[in-house]
């Protein structure tokens, strides 16, 4: 019995599959991101996800369950107290977040924080409210370009976001201001999970477009994770998309930025064709950023179809000693009220060309089974203070 040489963990950002038992305490009643998308749209053609068992996890109007899936399927619960990106990803790699990250959705940021940020950056701040990234540009970007003022805003997440026009504000200046904001928001009363630089191009309303030069300034994880254990052992830990930012670089040996979720899958396919030994950890953010928060089930459905098409290409290049795990970090039901994430269980799909069996695994109590499985596969102890039990005994394959 040999273990897997390469593991791919793909996070389909926000693809929840039904409410947690405590979802009402988070303001989320009868939410189901994938299920409600299926109910809302006419078509949903996802043959590769269907073969892996996605239709067995939650009822889908267009996708029948399969009697014999490619591998294993099930649901994961979130043990941590939250429904945001960092909480979900940190838990996957073994950290339980017991206190939700602070949000300023209803009030904007405190006047004291805004005043100090203005003094330190030398710029007048406009905005300071919760808004979508496209709406805030349509409202305030012309003013920013004309005056040199700085757009600061938040969302339903624990984030402070700063916009900057790449031509008039400049990328380096945007990053400088974000670094100051990150320093200030390390204080407990102002602490947010991420400060995000949001560069854009364009000169007038209707032309503004955000660019791929976004940069996230995240909190460092409060403890060691499975990623740190892998890196310390000399294994490859390759991040695609915003994984590096979510962990502030901790435990990462190689990082690739993605222009889109389609691009992220293309990068993953190319890495699958290369030589490495360890983990390739992928976040595909467009599902959440472009469609979930904007409450667009049709756009979300088409994004899933694009993912499925590239999933087929990835499955075709997997080697016998590869393991693929597909999951999500929270929900973002595009049919629900508001624009916030939704507290949901997430899908778990696992496949290797060498797997001996297939079928349903019991519902797991934490996302951390993923990191524990990865560590166990490579013969590593999870760092002290982490959570999660390995599923490797279920997911092992025979490698000739």
């Amino acid at each position: 019995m040999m273990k897997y040489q390469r593991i791919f963990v793909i996070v389909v950002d926000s693809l929840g599959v039904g409410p947690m038992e405590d979802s009402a305490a988070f303001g989320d009643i009868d939410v189901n991101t994938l299920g409600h998308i299926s109910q809302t749209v006419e078509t949903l053609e996802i043959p590769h996800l269907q073969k892996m068992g996605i239709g067995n996890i939650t009822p889908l109007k267009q996708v029948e369950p399969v009697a014999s899936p490619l591998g294993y399927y099930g649901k994961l619960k979130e043990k941590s107290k939250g429904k945001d990106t960092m909480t979900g990803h940190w838990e996957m790699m073994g950290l339980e977040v017991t206190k939700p990250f602070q949000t300023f959705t209803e009030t904007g940021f405190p006047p004291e924080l805004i005043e100090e940020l203005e003094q330190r950056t030398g710029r007048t701040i406009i905005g300071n409210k919760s808004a979508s990234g496209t709406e805030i540009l349509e409202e305030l970007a012309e003013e920013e370009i004309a005056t040199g003022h700085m757009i600061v805003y938040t969302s339903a997440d624990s984030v402070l976001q700063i916009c900057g026009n790449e031509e008039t504000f400049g990328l380096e200046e945007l990053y400088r201001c974000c670094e100051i904001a990150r320093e200030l928001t390390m204080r407990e009363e102002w602490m947010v999970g991420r400060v995000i630089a949001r560069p854009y191009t364009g000169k007038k309303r209707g032309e503004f477009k955000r660019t791929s030069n976004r940069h996230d300034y995240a909190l460092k994880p409060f403890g060691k994770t499975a990623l740190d254990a892998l890196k310390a052992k000399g294994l490859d830990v390759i991040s695609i998309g915003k994984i590096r930012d979510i962990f502030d670089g901790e435990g990462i040996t190689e990082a690739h930025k993605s222009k889109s979720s389609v691009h992220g899958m293309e990068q993953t396919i190319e890495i699958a064709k290369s030589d490495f030994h360890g983990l390739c950890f992928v976040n595909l953010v467009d599902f959440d950023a472009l469609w979930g928060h904007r409450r667009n089930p049709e756009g979300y459905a088409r994004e899933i179809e694009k993912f499925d098409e590239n999933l087929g290409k990835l499955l075709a290049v997997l080697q016998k000693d590869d393991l693929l795990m597909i999951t999500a970090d929270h929900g973002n039901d595009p049919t629900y009220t508001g624009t916030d994430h939704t507290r949901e269980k997430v899908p778990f799909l696992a496949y290797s060309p060498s797997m001996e069996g297939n079928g349903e695994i019991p519902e797991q109590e934490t996302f951390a089974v993923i990191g524990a499985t990865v560590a166990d596969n490579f013969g590593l102890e999870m760092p002290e203070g982490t959570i999660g039990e390995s599923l490797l005994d279920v997911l092992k394959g025979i490698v000739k």
Side-chain angles (χ1 to χ4, degrees):
M1 182 77 73
M2 289 177 60
K3 294 183 179 180
Y4 301 109
Q5 298 298 301
R6 310 191 306 178
I7 297 180
F8 296 83
V9 174
I10 298 177
V11 181
V12 183
D13 200 307
S14 82
L15 191 70
V17 288
M20 290 273 294
E21 287 77 5
D22 64 355
S23 65
F26 289 78
D28 303 323
I29 309 295
D30 295 328
V31 288
N32 187 330
T33 299
L34 180 57
H36 290 160
I37 289 168
S38 173
Q39 291 173 15
T40 303
V41 301
E42 286 299 315
T43 60
L44 185 63
E45 298 182 14
I46 47 174
H48 302 103
L49 283 167
Q50 181 180 24
K51 289 175 186 175
M52 291 188 72
I54 196 74
N56 300 58
I57 294 175
T58 190
L60 301 176
K61 182 173 68 176
Q62 307 86 345
V63 183
E64 291 291 325
V66 290
S68 184
L70 285 179
Y72 293 91
Y73 66 87
K75 295 179 186 177
L76 309 181
K77 297 180 183 179
E78 186 166 20
K79 189 174 183 182
S80 296
K81 299 303 179 188
K83 54 177 180 177
D84 61 275
T85 295
M86 284 175 60
T87 298
H89 284 78
W90 285 10
E91 181 169 318
M92 282 179 216
M93 293 298 124
L95 297 180
E96 180 183 359
V97 178
T98 56
K99 182 181 178 182
F101 290 111
Q102 198 167 188
T103 60
F104 295 92
T105 311
E106 301 300 324
T107 60
F109 298 104
E112 297 82 6
L113 170 56
I114 294 299
E115 182 179 347
E116 190 159 349
L117 187 54
E118 286 182 330
Q119 289 175 355
R120 291 280 302 276
T121 60
R123 291 182 178 269
T124 299
I125 288 174
I126 54 177
N128 190 26
K129 61 181 180 179
S130 178
S132 83
T134 51
E135 289 171 354
I136 203 79
L137 290 180
E138 287 300 295
E139 179 185 350
L140 296 175
E142 286 185 351
E143 180 181 346
E144 180 184 83
I145 292 169
T147 63
H149 295 165
M150 183 167 73
I151 301 171
V152 172
Y153 70 109
T154 188
S155 69
D157 290 335
S158 179
V159 294
L160 184 153
Q161 304 185 80
I162 302 179
C163 299
N165 185 283
E166 290 197 358
E167 294 178 343
T168 59
F169 200 98
L171 270 178
E172 292 307 313
E173 173 65 4
L174 175 61
Y175 295 158
R176 181 188 75 87
C177 293
C178 286
E179 288 165 6
I180 293 169
R182 177 71 280 178
E183 180 186 337
L184 293 175
T185 55
M186 292 303 292
R187 299 183 195 175
E188 186 172 353
E189 66 269 27
W190 300 338
M191 188 175 288
V192 294
R194 286 176 292 159
V195 171
I196 306 177
R198 290 287 195 177
Y200 67 95
T201 57
K203 295 180 178 178
K204 61 182 181 180
R205 289 183 181 87
E207 295 181 354
F208 298 122
K209 292 184 179 178
R210 299 196 294 190
T211 76
S212 60
N213 289 318
R214 161 184 171 160
H215 184 68
D216 292 35
Y217 299 81
L219 293 175
K220 285 191 181 298
F222 57 82
K224 296 294 185 183
T225 71
L227 304 182
D228 296 295
L230 292 167
K231 184 178 180 180
K233 191 70 173 180
L235 292 158
D236 296 312
V237 184
I238 302 169
S239 81
I240 295 178
K242 63 179 184 178
I243 295 294
R244 189 221 166 274
D245 290 339
I246 292 167
F247 290 88
D248 198 32
E250 297 295 302
I252 305 296
T253 64
E254 179 183 329
H256 301 264
K257 282 190 172 184
S258 302
K259 298 175 183 176
S260 65
S261 289
V262 169
H263 183 224
M265 280 300 290
E266 291 169 349
Q267 291 171 303
T268 306
I269 293 163
E270 287 306 306
I271 286 172
K273 295 176 183 176
S274 70
D275 255 349
F276 76 92
H277 184 208
L279 172 67
C280 178
F281 195 5
V282 183
N283 175 276
L284 306 175
V285 73
D286 286 353
F287 302 88
D288 186 51
L290 296 185
W291 314 118
H293 284 303
R294 298 182 190 178
R295 296 301 187 246
N296 185 335
E298 183 68 33
Y300 206 132
R302 303 291 78 81
E303 195 74 48
I304 298 172
E305 289 180 337
K306 293 175 190 175
F307 169 71
D308 188 83
E309 182 178 349
N310 275 316
L311 174 60
K313 296 175 184 176
L314 177 61
L315 292 172
V317 298
L318 289 182
Q319 301 171 9
K320 280 190 174 181
D321 53 2
D322 289 343
L323 171 64
L324 169 64
M325 292 187 277
I326 299 172
T327 190
D329 52 345
H330 50 72
N332 199 345
D333 189 336
T335 69
Y336 200 56
T337 58
T339 60
D340 197 358
H341 294 152
T342 43
R343 172 85 166 167
E344 295 185 49
K345 299 171 186 178
V346 300
F348 178 79
L349 299 169
Y351 169 71
S352 171
S354 64
M355 272 181 175
E356 296 177 278
N358 61 12
E360 184 176 12
I361 64 167
E363 190 168 278
Q364 300 296 305
E365 295 299 317
T366 170
F367 298 176
V369 295
I370 293 173
T373 299
V374 174
D376 186 19
N377 179 76
F378 293 108
L380 304 175
E381 291 288 329
M382 283 290 286
E384 186 177 352
T386 53
I387 61 171
E389 299 293 329
S390 172
L391 296 174
L392 190 63
D393 286 344
V394 175
L395 306 180
K396 273 182 180 176
I398 296 293
V399 181
K400 302 292 186 185

